[in-house]
Amino acid sequence: MATLIPAISACVSRMTSGERRVAERLEQKLDDDYLLWYDVPMGPRNTHPDFCVLHPRRGILVLEVKDWKLSTIQQADKQTWEIIPDGIPKTVANPLEQARQYAQTVVTALQRDKQLIQTEGAHAGKVAFPWSYGVVLTEITRKQFEAAELHHAIEPHRVLCKDEMLESVDAEDLQSRLWDMFPYGMRGTLSLPQIDRVRWIMFPQVRVQTSGDLFDDNDAEAELPDIMRVMDLQQEQLARSLGEGHRVIHGVAGSGKTMILGYRAEYLAQASTANSKPILILCFNEPLGVKLHSVMQAKGLGGKVHVRHFHKWCREQLVAYGQTLPAQGPRMFDEMVESVIRAVDRNQIPSGQYQAVMIDEGHDFAPEWLKLVTQMVDPTTNSLLVLYDDAQSIYERARSKQFSFKSVGIQAQGRTTILKINYRNTRQICRPPAWWRPTC
């Protein structure tokens, strides 16, 4: 069974019926070493092909899916098609040309990486693995395709038709149809490090910054880094599959929780409009808050994503809404939090201020803090993400959670995920993760 990113449950609501069938067939009929992406921004231009298929030995295949019936198509040639989807004539690009352009854009970007190209021979400078593109016509059978002479507009071997992707289709037959789309003679096998480099270039959203400035994909002269780190596949699938509502991610130290939070914040910020409320990221640790803030600033999202450590946010709330600040002293921070809670209860500080709230280091938040912050989510979006490590509490709060998330207003039943793999060793866990340490 192939790995589909995002998970089909997270994207089925935005799929057409044909896209859903394609996703189900590819996921079920392809082997475990296939990777599939549905409608994710790809390459330096953030294009959105319907599906991208990646296999270590087969290479990359970009698929464009059309749910058009034969009666919808009025005229077709190799450049444009005239269709009547809703009774209104419309001229659109040939879907095969559309898929070709998506694929070519990505391959051009991949060819900049010396570790992904052939270094000698007739194809020197070209990618060292197969790539191709094709079209899936989910409502047109092969017989209809041939009778309508659509082969004049699309090469027959680059098309997967309705009757070739039925639920009963043999897995080998489906795979054979897909790989017939490749030009004869293209060979090459991708190693695991090369697959990571392909993902780094194809999907900038999953990059893990190791040091220095963010890479500018639009700079044709920019030198690609020697080391390219990306989220692992579980992290990427989880990050891309986070839907609406309240979500809790439990994870051990070094499991990539903060990376997923950063991806989610960037995704929501890019999808927001001028009328959208801001996004709030809260953490307990001040240095982590500073670094997360600098990352969002570097991505140009500082105006949409507000990053604060919890007590700084509390102070800002009191100042912004004319509440009295507590006096200096040993209980100043506790009194600051208590003042915000009282002001929210009295409607002196408004709730629902943010389109989304994300809490890093949730294990260091007291129950009353979580209850307070949960009220800051706009009920129309209801987007809350809490990252939690039950075994980690560096500020000596209770080692085991003595409350339920439901009791503090977090409604995450059935929407909780556990990350079990630690990608940092003991020494690394004892110091801040490399991706957010200041660089000299």
Side-chain angles (χ1 to χ4, degrees), residues 229 253-254 392 422-434 436-437:
R229 290 188 58 207
Q392 184 183 21
N422 162 32
Y423 293 92
R424 284 185 272 147
N425 60 32
T426 304
R427 182 183 297 273
Q428 290 171 316
I429 291 173
C430 291
R431 64 175 185 260
W436 70 264
R437 287 201 302 274

Side-chain angles (χ1 to χ4, degrees), residues 141-197:
T141 65
R142 178 64 63 173
K143 184 176 181 180
Q144 289 175 319
F145 179 88
E146 293 172 348
E149 298 186 341
L150 289 175
H151 62 276
H152 293 301
I154 296 183
E155 301 158 273
H157 69 277
R158 289 192 185 272
V159 178
L160 182 67
C161 293
K162 177 180 180 179
D163 52 330
E164 296 161 349
M165 51 168 285
L166 300 174
E167 188 173 3
S168 59
V169 67
D170 181 78
E172 290 189 7
D173 289 343
L174 177 62
Q175 292 185 39
S176 178
R177 286 284 183 185
L178 293 177
W179 304 123
D180 282 348
M181 296 180 182
F182 282 75
Y184 178 76
M186 293 185 75
R187 291 184 175 86
T189 300
L190 284 163
S191 66
L192 290 178
Q194 284 179 316
I195 290 175
D196 281 348
R197 298 184 76 84

Side-chain angles (χ1 to χ4, degrees), residues 12 28 31 34 42 48 93 119-120 127 135-136 141 196 198 217 234 239 292 309 315 318 332 368-369 421:
V12 67
Q28 295 166 3
D31 297 329
Y34 283 84
M42 191 169 78
H48 278 257
T119 57
E120 56 186 21
V127 289
V135 175
V136 184
T141 65
D196 281 348
V198 168
D217 290 272
Q234 183 197 16
L292 283 171
H309 67 83
R315 189 182 192 282
L318 293 175
M332 181 184 69
E368 58 270 22
W369 301 6
I421 300 177

Side-chain angles (χ1 to χ4, degrees), residues 48-114:
H48 278 257
D50 290 329
F51 288 91
C52 179
V53 184
L54 174 63
H55 186 271
R57 292 183 302 279
R58 298 291 191 176
I60 295 172
L61 177 65
V62 172
L63 294 173
E64 191 64 19
V65 179
K66 298 301 180 186
D67 287 3
W68 301 332
K69 298 181 183 297
L70 191 60
S71 59
T72 303
I73 303 169
Q74 300 300 295
Q75 187 274 334
D77 60 38
K78 291 187 176 181
Q79 296 302 318
T80 60
W81 288 29
E82 293 181 11
I83 60 173
I84 307 181
D86 301 304
I88 301 175
K90 184 179 180 181
T91 300
V92 297
N94 182 322
L96 185 64
E97 176 61 18
Q98 193 176 355
R100 186 195 69 80
Q101 290 182 14
Y102 288 149
Q104 185 62 65
T105 298
V106 168
V107 169
T108 299
L110 294 172
Q111 286 176 168
R112 294 178 60 186
D113 188 350
K114 295 179 181 179

Side-chain angles (χ1 to χ4, degrees), residues 88-325:
I88 301 175
K90 184 179 180 181
T91 300
V92 297
N94 182 322
L96 185 64
E97 176 61 18
Q98 193 176 355
R100 186 195 69 80
Q101 290 182 14
Y102 288 149
Q104 185 62 65
T105 298
V106 168
V107 169
T108 299
L110 294 172
Q111 286 176 168
R112 294 178 60 186
D113 188 350
K114 295 179 181 179
Q115 297 188 37
L116 297 177
I117 62 173
Q118 302 182 55
T119 57
E120 56 186 21
H123 300 289
K126 304 296 184 182
V127 289
F129 51 87
W131 66 276
S132 194
Y133 50 91
V135 175
V136 184
L137 299 176
T138 63
E139 296 296 336
I140 297 176
T141 65
R142 178 64 63 173
K143 184 176 181 180
Q144 289 175 319
F145 179 88
E146 293 172 348
E149 298 186 341
L150 289 175
H151 62 276
H152 293 301
I154 296 183
E155 301 158 273
H157 69 277
R158 289 192 185 272
V159 178
L160 182 67
C161 293
K162 177 180 180 179
D163 52 330
E164 296 161 349
M165 51 168 285
L166 300 174
E167 188 173 3
S168 59
V169 67
D170 181 78
E172 290 189 7
D173 289 343
L174 177 62
Q175 292 185 39
S176 178
R177 286 284 183 185
L178 293 177
W179 304 123
D180 282 348
M181 296 180 182
F182 282 75
Y184 178 76
M186 293 185 75
R187 291 184 175 86
T189 300
L190 284 163
S191 66
L192 290 178
Q194 284 179 316
I195 290 175
D196 281 348
R197 298 184 76 84
V198 168
R199 290 174 59 220
W200 192 95
I201 295 170
M202 286 176 57
F203 307 117
Q205 308 85 9
V206 303
R207 293 173 184 171
V208 178
Q209 186 182 2
T210 54
S211 63
D213 297 329
L214 297 176
F215 181 78
D216 185 358
D217 290 272
N218 296 315
D219 183 356
E221 303 300 321
E223 186 174 346
L224 291 169
D226 292 329
I227 299 175
M228 296 181 178
R229 290 188 58 207
V230 291
M231 293 182 184
D232 71 17
L233 292 172
Q234 183 197 16
Q235 292 166 343
E236 181 184 358
Q237 186 180 52
L238 174 58
R240 294 192 189 276
S241 300
L242 287 173
E244 299 305 318
H246 294 190
R247 305 273 169 167
V248 175
I249 299 177
H250 295 265
V252 297
S255 60
K257 300 186 298 296
T258 302
M259 282 196 303
I260 293 170
L261 177 145
Y263 170 89
R264 181 65 174 169
E266 182 177 355
Y267 171 81
L268 291 176
Q270 291 176 343
S272 64
T273 67
N275 296 323
S276 297
K277 293 180 179 180
I279 297 158
L280 176 65
I281 296 177
L282 285 177
C283 55
F284 188 94
N285 186 299
E286 182 176 3
L288 176 58
V290 170
K291 183 57 184 181
L292 283 171
H293 174 75
S294 68
V295 170
M296 293 301 154
Q297 289 289 122
K299 292 177 178 288
L301 302 175
K304 297 180 178 180
V305 182
H306 299 176
V307 184
R308 302 288 188 272
H309 67 83
F310 179 70
H311 289 100
K312 179 178 181 180
W313 175 80
C314 286
R315 189 182 192 282
E316 289 179 350
Q317 290 291 307
L318 293 175
V319 171
Y321 294 99
Q323 304 299 303
T324 302
L325 291 173

